[in-house]
Amino acid sequence: MNRLPVAERREQLIEAALAVASRDGIDAATVRAIAAEAGVSLGVVHYCFQDKDELLRAMAHAITSQNLARSLGDLPEHADLDTVVDGVVDALWTGISESRGPQLLSYELTTSSLRHAELNQVAIEQYRGQWSAAEQVLELIERTAQIGWAIPRSQVARAIVAVIDGYSLAWLVDADGEQARAGLQGFGQFLKTLAVPAALEPDEGDHASVGAPDGATA
Amino acid sequence: MNRLPVAERREQLIEAALAVASRDGIDAATVRAIAAEAGVSLGVVHYCFQDKDELLRAMAHAITSQNLARSLGDLPEHADLDTVVDGVVDALWTGISESRGPQLLSYELTTSSLRHAELNQVAIEQYRGQWSAAEQVLELIERTAQIGWAIPRSQVARAIVAVIDGYSLAWLVDADGEQARAGLQGFGQFLKTLAVPAALEPDEGDHASVGAPDGATA
DNA sequence: AGTCGACCTGGTCGGTTGTCCAAGTCAAGT
DNA sequence: ACTTGACTTGGACAACCGACCAGGTCGACT
């Protein structure tokens, strides 16, 4: 087998780990299986990574990064609110429905991270990335459709991630893509009701209750 | 150790498995750990269950059953729509936030089920139970508040389960109970906008667009 | 050409897992 | 009292895991 500097070998192993874990599940991503997938011998893994956990952390980091890069890559040019929201929802669902394995893997990683102390940072980093990506998508919508939101943008972002997670999970279980797509599109409709014209949004001090345009602060 | 008929011993082992898996994760629920938790010796497990998988399936079934029983146990007497929806959301979130371990376990079970053929039935049964429970809660709301829904009840039920899953997952990750509660309450608000007076709901043929109270059918 | 260090090999080790089994124990029925 | 069968015990086994290591290999620099 050809020789590689350790940095490149490391990336190759991360890709191999990603392939195995996406295909066969996180439990099947043993050091041996990853080495075999990469076509290297067993010892190489521990030559490039101190731990198996370090490899898994690197793999999770790679997923988060490329998720973030991908979700910001689809650029639905400037249009009105309906068009841009529908476009985002559509692109999003297409991206999900075409990658069942990685999608399932990300949930496996989340639960694993919440159980094993060595992976504690993985889940929070994963979700910080998703929330931040959702916020950036929202900013894009704000600019292209010239609107703001009736509730803080960060809360809208959390709602987006939550709804996507929920419908993705359901789709992974029952494989009913139409139900999932319909649900997400329904959420898109709801999103539009949260939009307010851009002019009267910047200086509004308190947003107390969620989803209640008629402020229930008092 | 005292002797038990196999049926009772089986239930005891299921409870022990539930305890171990909720506390330490599904991977920690080894045959030995379960036997130790139950205070029985190793061989008993395979005397009561043919497989470890059979035990896990039984455990998952127990979770589903008691989840269904619990979610229908909180009976928010007859009141107006606001009161009953807020009450349901509140009771729901209280139930979730008080059982972090089991909640996380249910997601571990879902992903495991989707990977291992021997557990294939677990996830779908889990979600069928949740969807059905959500539908029954919706029926309760319909009766107590004298309303119907702008979209088919089954789709509302799926939305409920999806939103709960999404916010629960986020809460498991970042431990921010207030954000989760706020998000669920916001969904409760949205739910109210889907309610229509009971009189004009039974004979409406087509429900085309989801989440659009201002009917976008035409 | 020769040396040095980065990179690779594959066997080995201790530990854990699910599964099995021969033997032991106890209550109930005769 | 004794037999029968349900229930229990704890050790044994093969398979697999992550980690480790002594030694081999090859490219690059002197």
Side-chain angles (χ1 to χ4, degrees):
Chain A
M1 96 136 308
N2 54 348
R3 301 197 151 209
L4 254 55
V6 61
E8 295 183 25
R9 182 69 73 200
R10 188 144 33 195
E11 288 196 25
Q12 181 197 358
L13 286 173
I14 291 173
E15 274 193 42
L18 202 51
V20 175
S22 296
R23 186 186 344 114
D24 303 323
I26 200 175
D27 290 334
T30 67
V31 174
R32 284 163 228 269
I34 294 170
E37 176 83 17
V40 301
S41 64
L42 188 56
V44 173
V45 179
H46 283 89
Y47 179 76
C48 296
F49 297 91
Q50 191 174 13
D51 260 348
K52 181 197 176 183
D53 294 321
E54 188 181 311
L55 171 53
L56 255 54
R57 280 194 295 267
M59 183 189 74
H61 191 78
I63 296 180
T64 303
S65 300
Q66 74 187 37
N67 267 3
L68 214 152
R70 189 193 51 174
S71 71
L72 299 182
D74 50 356
L75 25 106
E77 8 228 309
H78 41 63
D80 63 351
L81 185 61
D82 275 273
T83 309
V84 66
V85 168
D86 290 348
V88 166
V89 168
D90 212 62
L92 194 77
W93 172 244
T94 302
I96 291 175
S97 65
E98 283 175 352
S99 62
R100 193 191 132 98
Q103 192 67 24
L104 179 47
L105 172 60
S106 82
Y107 295 119
E108 294 182 279
L109 270 174
T110 301
T111 55
S112 288
S113 163
L114 294 174
R115 289 292 190 188
H116 307 312
E118 319 84 36
L119 301 178
N120 257 347
Q121 291 295 88
V122 167
I124 187 65
E125 181 182 332
Q126 212 176 1
Y127 274 82
R128 273 199 236 275
Q130 289 185 247
W131 289 324
S132 141
E135 281 205 50
Q136 293 182 45
V137 170
L138 286 177
E139 287 180 19
L140 178 82
I141 297 179
E142 291 169 27
R143 283 197 305 273
T144 61
Q146 296 291 337
I147 53 102
W149 306 104
I151 58 176
R153 187 196 296 134
S154 67
Q155 289 190 23
V156 184
R158 285 181 78 103
I160 291 178
V161 173
V163 169
I164 292 175
D165 272 351
Y167 277 111
S168 295
L169 221 38
W171 167 70
L172 287 170
V173 171
D174 78 344
D176 190 336
E178 275 317 305
Q179 286 269 12
R181 159 175 255 123
L184 285 181
Q185 284 172 345
F187 177 72
Q189 298 289 89
F190 170 67
L191 208 57
K192 295 169 192 170
T193 69
L194 291 181
V196 297
L200 32 112
E201 146 268 346
D203 43 21
E204 180 61 84
D206 59 335
H207 307 271
S209 183
V210 184
D214 46 356
T217 307
Chain B
M1 101 135 305
N2 55 347
R3 302 198 150 211
L4 252 55
V6 62
E8 295 182 25
R9 181 71 72 202
R10 186 143 35 194
E11 288 196 26
Q12 181 197 358
L13 286 172
I14 292 173
E15 274 191 44
L18 201 52
V20 175
S22 296
R23 185 187 342 115
D24 303 322
I26 199 174
D27 291 333
T30 67
V31 174
R32 283 163 228 269
I34 293 171
E37 177 84 17
V40 301
S41 63
L42 187 57
V44 172
V45 178
H46 282 88
Y47 179 76
C48 297
F49 297 92
Q50 191 173 14
D51 260 350
K52 181 196 175 183
D53 294 320
E54 190 183 309
L55 170 53
L56 255 54
R57 281 194 295 269
M59 183 188 74
H61 191 77
I63 295 179
T64 303
S65 300
Q66 72 187 37
N67 267 2
L68 214 151
R70 188 193 52 175
S71 71
L72 299 181
D74 50 357
L75 24 106
E77 7 229 309
H78 41 63
D80 62 351
L81 185 61
D82 276 272
T83 308
V84 66
V85 168
D86 289 349
V88 166
V89 168
D90 211 63
L92 195 77
W93 172 245
T94 301
I96 292 175
S97 65
E98 283 176 350
S99 61
R100 194 191 130 97
Q103 193 67 25
L104 179 48
L105 172 61
S106 83
Y107 295 119
E108 294 182 280
L109 269 175
T110 301
T111 55
S112 287
S113 164
L114 295 174
R115 290 292 190 189
H116 308 311
E118 319 84 36
L119 302 178
N120 256 347
Q121 291 295 87
V122 167
I124 187 64
E125 180 182 333
Q126 212 177 1
Y127 274 81
R128 274 201 236 275
Q130 288 185 247
W131 290 323
S132 141
E135 283 206 50
Q136 293 182 44
V137 169
L138 286 176
E139 287 181 20
L140 178 81
I141 296 178
E142 291 168 28
R143 283 197 304 273
T144 61
Q146 297 290 338
I147 53 103
W149 307 104
I151 58 177
R153 187 195 297 133
S154 66
Q155 289 190 24
V156 184
R158 284 181 79 103
I160 291 178
V161 173
V163 170
I164 291 175
D165 272 351
Y167 277 112
S168 295
L169 221 40
W171 166 70
L172 287 171
V173 171
D174 78 343
D176 190 335
E178 275 317 304
Q179 287 268 13
R181 158 176 256 123
L184 285 181
Q185 284 171 346
F187 177 72
Q189 300 289 90
F190 170 67
L191 208 58
K192 295 170 191 169
T193 70
L194 292 181
V196 296
L200 34 113
E201 146 266 349
D203 42 22
E204 181 61 83
D206 58 333
H207 308 270
S209 183
V210 185
D214 45 356
T217 306

